[in-house]
Amino acid sequence: MANASDLPRHDDTEEDPRTPRPAADPTGATGGTAPEPPAVAEPTPASAVREAPGNDGERAAAPPAGGGGGRPLTAGVAMLATAVAVVSVLVGGLLMAVGLTGHVFGAWRSPESLTPGLIGAALLGTAPGLFAVSRARAWHEVRTLVLPLAVVLVGLFAVSLLNAGDLYVARGGSVVPVLFSLGWLFVLGVLCVFALVALAWQYFAPAEPLGPRTAPLPGWSKPALAVLGSAWLGIGAGLLARPGFWAAFVPWSTHRVDAQALGVWALALGVGVLGALAEDDLTRTGAALIALPCTAVTVTVVLACRASAVDWHSGPALSLVCMVAGLLFAGASGRVLLTRTSPARS
């Protein structure tokens, strides 16, 4: 007879074969749950690191506005632009205001108040762009405005010297025009020397290779800019070289000094427009894009207020309207395109 202790206990039940057995313990133990191996982190793909927003390496490698490189803007060019801007506001505002009233005032006698008024309008219109030069960091960002500025300073000073006999300081007159013509010569001479020294200093600065263009000009604008720049450049060169012949194409009364002074400004506008076309990058023409529409607006105001002095039925008058409208459209559309491309660069 079996002993009670030999009988199986009530909890020593036989294991159900349908119950899955746990995996064998690697140490050799048969029961219990085997510990899971630690998860190994998969390496992050390099493409994910490059595409992650805000990656420090990507920000460091991204080129700055305007393509980077080039020559840093020297203090001399920034000081020159600011000094000319201040003079332009004072002298240009005076010439434009007097010209709008129909009175003739300037460094020389003009047959019509429209010419000194337009010279003052051009001076006043370029001042906002010149004030913006000091905020730039590289030379290639402002040279489309500073190089035409040098053309204006050197050209007006040369025209004044070549026609010194027509100035009030040589011909005499009331004290105010005589003093103004004397100051005109002195200030232009000082600014001319300053411009040549500042540009020489700028080009002696060490340069790095320019980076790629970040905001190229749209293809549809290039033929129009080429025509606009060539028109201003050609008319300016003609007025300077042969003022007696080309003055007949100006739709108001002018003489030699008037024609050559207007030719200097036309030549500078042509250099600026063609320079922007050569740069082929909106970020390198920021200051010029401010000066162009402002100049077009001030010139339009003078032409509108002195409309009676212009022969509007002539072909040159129609050409002048188209060229001034081209300056306004080029500057305004350039500013809009530059504003739209700024978020993409950031």
Side-chain angles (χ1 to χ4, degrees):
M1 183 175 178
N3 192 353
S5 59
D6 296 331
L7 296 177
R9 299 176 56 184
H10 68 278
D11 55 347
D12 293 338
T13 57
E14 185 177 358
E15 185 179 1
D16 190 351
R18 293 173 297 177
T19 303
R21 299 178 70 115
D25 186 72
T27 60
T30 59
T33 304
E36 296 182 357
V40 179
E42 296 184 359
T44 306
S47 58
V49 176
R50 289 194 301 267
E51 296 173 1
N55 184 269
D56 293 337
E58 182 183 0
R59 288 196 298 265
R71 288 182 172 88
L73 187 68
T74 59
V77 172
M79 292 172 60
L80 170 68
T82 303
V84 176
V86 173
V87 173
S88 297
V89 170
L90 298 177
V91 177
L94 176 63
L95 291 176
M96 182 176 173
V98 176
L100 290 177
T101 63
H103 294 86
V104 178
F105 180 75
W108 55 84
R109 284 190 175 93
S110 296
E112 173 58 51
S113 64
L114 188 56
T115 297
L118 288 175
I119 294 174
L123 287 170
L124 188 61
T126 56
L130 294 174
F131 280 121
V133 169
S134 60
R135 298 197 297 267
R137 292 178 296 177
W139 165 240
H140 61 267
E141 298 175 10
V142 299
R143 59 189 174 192
T144 51
L145 180 60
V146 176
L147 291 179
L149 170 64
V151 172
V152 170
L153 294 176
V154 175
L156 287 180
F157 185 61
V159 167
S160 300
L161 289 180
L162 290 174
N163 301 279
D166 293 328
L167 299 180
Y168 279 108
V169 69
R171 299 185 60 175
S174 58
V175 63
V176 174
V178 170
L179 291 178
F180 181 83
S181 63
L182 183 62
W184 174 271
L185 268 181
F186 176 76
V187 173
L188 270 180
V190 171
L191 291 177
C192 233
V193 175
F194 191 4
L196 294 177
V197 173
L199 288 178
W201 182 15
Q202 178 65 67
Y203 277 103
F204 275 117
E208 298 178 358
L210 279 174
R213 291 175 171 86
T214 57
L217 299 177
W220 57 264
S221 67
K222 295 179 181 180
L225 287 177
V227 172
L228 180 64
S230 299
W232 281 108
L233 188 71
I235 291 175
L239 288 172
L240 277 173
R242 298 190 62 188
F245 175 78
W246 284 92
F249 292 92
V250 179
W252 60 86
S253 298
T254 58
H255 58 32
R256 179 183 178 86
V257 192
D258 285 343
Q260 288 187 323
L262 292 173
V264 169
W265 274 105
L267 187 68
L269 288 172
V271 170
V273 173
L274 293 179
L277 182 62
E279 293 287 355
D280 194 15
D281 194 336
L282 293 171
T283 59
R284 301 180 188 178
T285 58
L289 290 178
I290 298 175
L292 273 185
C294 292
T295 302
V297 168
T298 53
V299 167
T300 302
V301 170
V302 174
L303 289 174
C305 292
R306 301 296 303 153
S308 58
V310 182
D311 182 12
W312 294 108
H313 300 287
S314 62
L318 178 61
S319 301
L320 178 63
V321 170
C322 294
M323 292 163 64
V324 173
L327 293 179
L328 180 60
F329 180 76
S333 60
R335 291 299 304 173
V336 171
L337 291 173
L338 182 60
T339 303
R340 289 181 177 179
T341 57
S342 295
R345 294 197 314 271
S346 58

